Every structure is written in structure tokens, then in C-alpha cells.
Amino acid sequence: MTKPLLGVVKNGREVLSNIINSQINIHEKFGGVVPEIASRKHIEAISIVVKEALDKANVTFDDIDGIACTYGPGLVGALLVGVRIC
């Protein structure tokens, strides 16, 4: 199932936060992932997931030195959400 996730890592070793926003309950009623819905839900969730991860890690964007994202494999629309913030 599709789920936007974001983590904040310090010095490549210490995980300060790891936030997952599951879409399982949304797609269950369709019997599988619906790409258009997954993409739309990623767009809706990404700001919330980013804010929650930064808050939990007690950092701001100014404290971040680098950003990484997945670009495949996966649903193109959902992946574009992650690429957009990178």
C-alpha cells in the first residue's frame, strides 16, 4: 500500500523522527491502490508529514543540510510529490 513517509536523520546515523501517513484504510474499500487517489492523498498529506517530522525532531528547515527522496519504483503521481519537495 502507498504511504507518504518522512524521516529526519542526524549525521547519517541517528533517526530523530520517522513519520508515516498510511493510506491503507482509503484504498481498502477499492480492493487495491487507485493511482489517482493515491497521488491526491500524497499531495494532501505531504505538508502535514513534513511539519510533524520536523516538529518531532525539534528542527526547522534551516537546520536541514540535505533532502533525499525516492524516485522509483512506484506510482508516478505519488513519487512526483516527493520529488517536488526535493
Side-chain angles (χ1 to χ4, degrees):
M1 288 288 175
T2 180
K3 39 188 141 176
L5 58 96
L6 192 137
V8 177
V9 179
K10 181 179 179 179
N11 298 325
R13 297 182 182 269
E14 182 183 354
V15 177
L16 301 179
S17 65
N18 183 32
I19 306 302
I20 299 172
N21 182 295
S22 177
Q23 295 181 9
I24 291 173
N25 61 341
I26 295 166
H27 295 286
E28 276 181 335
K29 57 185 139 191
F30 301 107
V33 175
V34 178
E36 179 57 33
I37 293 172
S39 297
R40 193 173 321 127
K41 293 300 178 185
H42 272 63
I43 291 167
E44 293 171 6
I46 194 66
S47 295
I48 296 164
V49 171
V50 168
K51 181 177 178 356
E52 190 175 338
L54 293 174
D55 288 349
K56 185 174 180 181
N58 197 31
V59 297
T60 67
F61 269 115
D62 292 335
D63 299 316
I64 304 295
D65 293 326
I67 297 174
C69 64
T70 301
Y71 67 92
L75 300 170
V76 172
L79 291 168
L80 286 173
V81 174
V83 171
R84 184 185 69 169
I85 68 167
C86 285

